[in-house]
Amino acid sequence: ANLWFSQYSFQRAGNYPDDPNNTLTPWGGSLFPKVSDESGMFPEPFLAASTDFGYFDKWTFALGAFGPSAIANRTFPESLGYAPNPARYDIIENHPQVIFITMAAAWRPLKWLDLGFALQPTYAKLHISQATISDATARGTGAGQCANVEYQPCDARSTLDTTALGLTASGGVLVRPLEGLSLGVNVRGPVKLTTEGDVNIKSPRITPNADFQPSPITFVVR
């Protein structure tokens, strides 16, 4: 297993565009603070088994499951306590799960040459949250209440939950030109996942009784 201990920090340039005299936005005019990822450790297991079934001399077969090395959780606070997160419109949570289920075979036609091929059904489950402005003025239910385009009391938290199944393949070559020297290359095809699910919206403070129903959504990952 790989155990990820990564941390990301974000420092947005500029100041909060709010009015400091508004009791709902006392942080107005202050510099945007530095925001850090709060995800902590991310475990990434790799499970695999291979065999020649005690029979084949030039063939080996394998079955495995693993996640791509670029996948890791990201969690940023929606609020810093004294002010809203200046990165909330980009991302609050990103918890992806991507699994390559791998069925592979390798063939050694010559003593110095190995050829391999793998078929990889791919499963993805996404959980992504961010803040979006819910403009009550546009619906005629809160005229003049959203003071600016980043007015935090008008923030609605949108959370996407989707899943998908895809398919890709990979191929590899291993050569041994000299004793003690091995050279290899592996190429995997593109993975395009059309995930489907729902997006749920939490009402903003300014319209706490607004009724947002879950909506179907399609989210494409390349």
Side-chain angles (χ1 to χ4, degrees):
N2 290 315
L3 301 178
W4 286 83
F5 296 89
S6 61
Q7 185 178 62
Y8 287 78
S9 296
F10 177 83
Q11 179 79 57
R12 180 178 173 183
N15 303 65
Y16 283 104
D18 303 285
D19 180 3
N21 297 315
N22 185 332
T23 57
L24 295 178
T25 59
W27 51 79
S30 60
L31 288 171
F32 289 124
K34 184 178 180 180
V35 182
S36 298
D37 170 34
E38 300 177 339
S39 302
M41 185 189 74
F42 180 75
E44 189 178 82
F46 190 116
L47 305 174
S50 66
T51 180
D52 60 5
F53 295 101
Y55 177 79
F56 295 101
D57 182 41
K58 296 184 177 182
W59 285 90
T60 302
F61 302 88
L63 180 66
F66 65 95
S69 58
I71 294 294
N73 290 336
R74 298 284 175 260
T75 301
F76 291 89
E78 186 173 2
S79 173
L80 305 178
Y82 59 91
N85 178 355
R88 64 193 185 279
Y89 299 116
D90 181 24
I91 186 173
I92 298 172
E93 288 183 330
N94 182 18
H95 297 168
Q97 296 178 19
V98 179
I99 301 174
F100 289 111
I101 303 167
T102 304
M103 298 169 285
W107 176 45
R108 176 173 291 179
L110 302 169
K111 289 185 177 181
W112 54 270
L113 176 65
D114 289 332
L115 304 175
F117 176 80
L119 191 65
Q120 294 179 309
T122 307
Y123 170 78
K125 181 178 180 182
L126 306 180
H127 176 85
I128 302 172
S129 291
Q130 66 177 176
T132 55
I133 285 291
S134 178
D135 191 351
T137 302
R139 296 192 296 273
T141 60
Q145 294 187 71
C146 297
N148 54 60
V149 295
E150 296 190 22
Y151 192 55
Q152 194 272 340
C154 288
D155 283 356
R157 180 164 176 163
S158 301
T159 302
L160 173 150
D161 288 288
T162 60
T163 59
L165 286 174
L167 182 66
T168 188
S170 63
V173 178
L174 180 70
V175 297
R176 291 171 294 278
L178 300 171
E179 184 177 354
L181 176 64
S182 298
L183 302 173
V185 62
N186 183 76
V187 178
R188 187 176 65 209
V191 181
K192 179 181 178 181
L193 296 169
T194 302
T195 70
E196 295 184 349
D198 293 315
V199 59
N200 292 275
I201 300 177
K202 179 182 177 182
S203 301
R205 284 195 296 159
I206 209 160
T207 54
N209 297 320
D211 186 18
F212 293 97
Q213 298 297 322
S215 300
I217 191 171
T218 299
F219 189 82
V220 179
V221 181
R222 296 178 184 274

